Amino acid sequence: MNRSARAFWLRSPGHGEVRELTLAEPAEDEVVVRSLWSGISRGTETLVFRGGVPASQHAVMRAPFQEGDFPGPVKYGYLNVGVVEEGPAELTGRTVFCLYPHQTRYVVPVSAVTVVPDNVPAERAVLAGTVETAVNALWDAAPLVGDRIAVVGGGMVGCSVAALLARFPGVRVQLVDADPARASVAEALGVGFATPERALGDCDLVVHASATEQGLARSLELLRAEGTVIELSWYGDRRVALPLGEAFHSRRLTVRGSQVGTVSPARANRSYADRLALALDLLADPALDALVTGESAFEDLPEVMPRLASGEIPALCHRVRYDKSA
């Protein structure tokens, strides 16, 4: 079997390259996967690309199959869909999702791959890791029937949360973003849209995912008394000022963090595998295709990543395609 592979590495902040490598022979409990697609979550991966992971968070921010260390050289990524070329008979030839970086072919333990359901296209399955984050956030948030909810920040994570909330009966869901172009994404997902100054208030729950100080402040303003903000943003090495004066205490507001690295305490009986399998099942909904806003070839990543990091390519999820002969 072909043991050659190519991987995308961050050589140093702002500079990426494709490296050649030879795969190790797989053990009995391992599989060889040939990549079909991978996804770039613009928020987290471009933060890594610009070298914005603070030293205190180097261990927390490690991806499952990361090589190297922050700020670089480092091989980073976690949204990969491929086909099993070698492994147990029940997996060989199956399409699987894995939390693996951008690489044409790789070897991982059998336990690291999850079979993509037959009704989920491989190219949509790259969203599994982000939908999994949304699932965990909603386990933390525990929305109720009839809730008034705002999702502040129309990036990949915020849109995934809004898409899942659209399925809750009787809820008022509004996606809030400073970019009016996000209105078309909100419409595709079946939720309302508003710019921050026009957002509906009196919310029972606000999910914040804009990774901006202004977005978090606006999230607090949109709450009813005793409402809750679920904070999903990752700020990296930036300090954020939070308006805890004014009516914060008198209105008894709550800000609660949510992070996908730990299964929500509200679902402590579920495993990471359970959560990922649920995310893949939810991806049967074609409306989620709206989260993929760009695509390029694997070989173009050294040129594409700087453009994503700078905002020249305004992506939610940018999808990477792999040559079938890779």
Side-chain angles (χ1 to χ4, degrees):
M1 296 293 291
N2 191 342
R3 291 285 182 265
S4 64
R6 300 187 304 282
F8 177 71
W9 279 74
L10 173 64
R11 184 175 69 249
S12 61
H15 303 281
E17 64 185 12
V18 173
R19 298 183 180 181
E20 304 279 341
L21 68 148
T22 300
L23 301 179
E25 288 289 328
E28 287 188 5
D29 60 347
E30 292 182 324
V31 290
V32 178
V33 180
R34 175 173 55 81
S35 295
L36 299 173
W37 304 92
S38 60
I40 299 170
S41 179
R42 184 171 175 269
T44 303
E45 289 200 54
T46 60
L47 185 147
V48 170
F49 188 76
R50 70 174 179 83
V53 180
S56 64
Q57 297 299 301
H58 282 188
V60 174
M61 282 287 291
R62 286 193 70 85
F65 294 99
Q66 174 180 323
E67 292 183 40
D69 296 298
F70 303 119
V74 64
K75 184 176 74 175
Y76 192 85
Y78 48 84
L79 302 173
N80 188 289
V81 177
V83 60
V84 175
E85 291 189 320
E86 296 180 63
E90 65 272 17
L91 286 177
T92 302
R94 300 297 301 273
T95 301
V96 295
F97 176 84
C98 184
L99 297 168
Y100 206 86
H102 309 286
Q103 185 166 309
T104 58
R105 189 179 267 107
Y106 54 91
V107 178
V108 292
V110 168
S111 59
V113 300
T114 302
V115 173
V116 175
D118 291 338
N119 61 344
V120 177
E123 56 267 37
R124 190 188 305 152
V126 296
L127 297 168
T130 307
V131 173
E132 183 183 8
T133 299
V135 167
N136 205 60
L138 294 181
W139 282 350
D140 282 332
L144 300 176
V145 172
D147 271 358
R148 292 161 292 193
I149 305 172
V151 179
V152 177
M156 192 174 169
V157 171
C159 286
S160 295
V161 171
L164 298 190
L165 284 170
R167 305 171 183 220
F168 279 69
V171 299
R172 183 193 80 189
V173 185
Q174 191 171 56
L175 182 66
V176 180
D177 197 274
D179 182 1
R182 290 286 185 261
S184 61
V185 179
E187 182 180 6
L189 298 176
V191 300
F193 175 82
T195 53
E197 66 276 7
R198 300 180 66 86
L200 298 173
D202 199 29
C203 292
D204 303 289
L205 171 69
V206 176
V207 179
H208 179 239
S210 81
T212 67
E213 187 175 294
Q214 296 86 348
L216 182 53
R218 186 62 176 139
S219 296
L220 289 171
E221 293 172 350
L222 295 176
L223 288 175
R224 63 164 173 80
E226 300 192 348
T228 298
V229 170
I230 298 296
E231 176 58 281
L232 291 182
S233 299
W234 171 246
Y235 298 92
D237 55 0
R238 290 176 291 142
R239 291 183 176 273
V240 176
L242 184 62
L244 299 182
E246 302 176 351
F248 179 80
H249 288 284
S250 64
R251 297 177 64 221
R252 298 174 60 85
L253 304 181
T254 298
V255 179
R256 188 185 333 150
S258 179
Q259 211 279 333
V260 72
T262 302
V263 173
S264 170
R267 295 294 181 272
N269 63 323
R270 308 290 179 88
S271 67
Y272 291 100
D274 292 333
R275 190 178 64 185
L276 179 56
L278 172 59
L280 281 163
D281 284 339
L282 292 170
L283 280 165
D285 185 352
L288 289 162
D289 285 333
L291 303 186
V292 179
T293 53
E295 183 178 306
S296 60
F298 167 76
E299 300 293 347
D300 294 335
L301 276 176
E303 291 75 43
V304 168
M305 281 298 295
R307 297 173 63 202
L308 285 169
S310 70
E312 180 185 344
I313 300 177
L316 290 176
C317 176
H318 188 87
R319 192 162 56 200
V320 179
R321 65 178 180 274
Y322 293 77
D323 189 305
K324 291 183 179 180
S325 64

